[in-house]
Amino acid sequence: MTINLFDAGIKFLLVIIFGIVSLKLKIVDFTGFLASLLVGGAIFIFGGWKWFVLILTFHIVAGLSTKYKYEEKRQKGVAEEKKGARAWQNVLANGSAAAFLAVVNGFIINDVLFAGYLGAVSTAIADTLATEIGLLSPKQPRSIVNLSKEVLSGTSGGVSLLGEIASILSAGLIGLLTYIIAAQNWNLQTALIISVVSGFFGSTFDSLLGATVQARYKCKVCGKNIEKKFHCEKHAIHLKGYSWIDNNMVNLLAVTFGSGVGILVFHLI
Ligand SMILES: [Zn+2]
């Protein structure tokens, strides 16, 4: 494909504007802003506006869900840090599979690539909402690997009915939008099946990884079980999981998996 530089420039300018608004609204921090220029720019320029609308919808809905009842989540000790402003690792974890497929689509346009893209965006939104809405569940979440066992709110690998419902509805929203803007010549049923199935399996895969291989630590100072290497300004003790698999790595793997599910479902239906 030949890229029209003027057209690409206008698109990138729009991405910068959306980025600045997101930065002002504290949906991203400065590093997240820079990463979102990369992801958003690649998707808009190589995938086109319809692809961009879908990732933008994820970005807005994820941002709103993180802010939603933030104070309540903060008091429970389960809120995202920095008022929920996402850093570059989170943006790349959720957006790089999608950006990669968009760039490939710039050279070979193929329905399969879009199916993978839809799977990636559906997983990203399903997983984010499962967490952000699930945190507000009045019931204790249960471990995905042992549904009879209750776990602390905010624990990776914990699932709740409220979170699952939010997750499925949000993935369905991406499928519905795909149909409305006619991102592909697909009927509503195809778009919905791909988005909901990949969003469900992608976010479930995320929980499974979170419950099994994700690194867990114990703080030497306050004694809390945590998912980060540092706590109370000290190195924490490694309890279980692989030290290189943190929350963002789990997200990256899950979104890539969801993208594969999208492609598989596309072939099966
Ligand atoms: Zn601590």
Side-chain angles (χ1 to χ4, degrees):
M1 95 182 233
T2 48
I3 290 184
N4 178 329
L5 277 184
F6 178 73
D7 177 70
I10 296 285
K11 286 173 175 167
F12 196 61
L13 192 66
L14 283 169
V15 172
I16 294 174
I17 293 169
F18 282 120
I20 292 172
V21 173
S22 307
L23 188 60
K24 291 279 171 217
L25 295 176
K26 296 193 167 63
I27 293 177
V28 288
D29 70 7
F30 189 69
T31 68
F33 161 74
L34 293 179
S36 68
L37 296 189
L38 202 67
V39 170
I43 291 172
F44 204 169
I45 292 168
F46 292 98
W49 74 267
K50 292 178 178 178
W51 287 49
F52 184 66
V53 164
L54 298 179
I55 198 85
L56 184 65
T57 302
F58 154 69
H59 178 71
I60 293 168
V61 173
L64 290 175
S65 74
T66 305
K67 305 279 176 202
Y68 181 64
K69 298 198 175 171
Y70 185 84
E71 194 49 35
E72 188 181 323
K73 294 175 200 166
R74 201 183 59 78
Q75 282 172 8
K76 280 168 98 173
V78 293
E80 285 286 319
E81 294 163 2
K82 293 178 289 181
K83 294 201 165 73
R86 308 287 180 142
W88 67 274
Q89 294 94 332
N90 188 273
V91 174
L92 290 189
N94 281 306
S96 45
F100 171 77
L101 289 164
V103 172
V104 178
N105 181 77
F107 299 91
I108 357 159
I109 295 178
N110 192 317
D111 262 7
V112 172
L113 292 172
F114 185 79
Y117 181 78
L118 184 55
V121 178
S122 300
T123 298
I125 198 168
D127 182 47
T128 306
L129 266 77
T131 303
E132 292 298 336
I133 302 301
L135 288 175
L136 299 167
S137 172
K139 291 192 181 152
Q140 285 290 102
R142 287 162 185 274
S143 167
I144 183 126
V145 288
N146 179 3
L147 289 174
S148 59
K149 183 183 157 202
E150 290 188 342
V151 294
L152 285 177
S153 191
T155 309
S156 283
V159 291
S160 65
L161 183 62
L162 184 65
E164 288 300 308
I165 292 170
S167 152
I168 287 170
L169 287 179
S170 62
L173 170 72
I174 296 297
L176 179 64
L177 202 57
T178 296
Y179 171 73
I180 292 172
I181 63 173
Q184 280 313 96
N185 291 322
W186 291 350
N187 58 31
L188 179 60
Q189 193 186 343
T190 303
L192 278 180
I193 290 175
I194 295 178
S195 63
V196 171
V197 173
S198 52
F200 174 75
F201 282 102
S203 59
T204 302
F205 186 63
D206 187 288
S207 302
L208 277 174
L209 294 178
T212 54
V213 294
Q214 187 177 335
R216 296 281 175 79
Y217 303 88
K218 190 180 176 77
C219 178
K220 281 188 264 193
V221 182
C222 69
K224 265 191 190 161
N225 275 8
I226 45 175
E227 298 180 343
K228 291 195 170 138
K229 277 180 193 164
F230 288 94
H231 206 255
C232 299
E233 299 176 359
K234 284 267 191 313
H235 256 292
I237 302 161
H238 185 210
L239 284 181
K240 62 172 221 170
Y242 296 96
S243 58
W244 57 278
I245 306 187
D246 64 0
N247 206 283
N248 289 310
M249 181 56 75
V250 166
N251 255 328
L252 178 75
L253 295 171
V255 170
T256 308
F257 179 82
S259 167
V261 174
I263 291 170
L264 184 68
V265 175
F266 174 72
H267 280 293
L268 292 178
I269 58 174

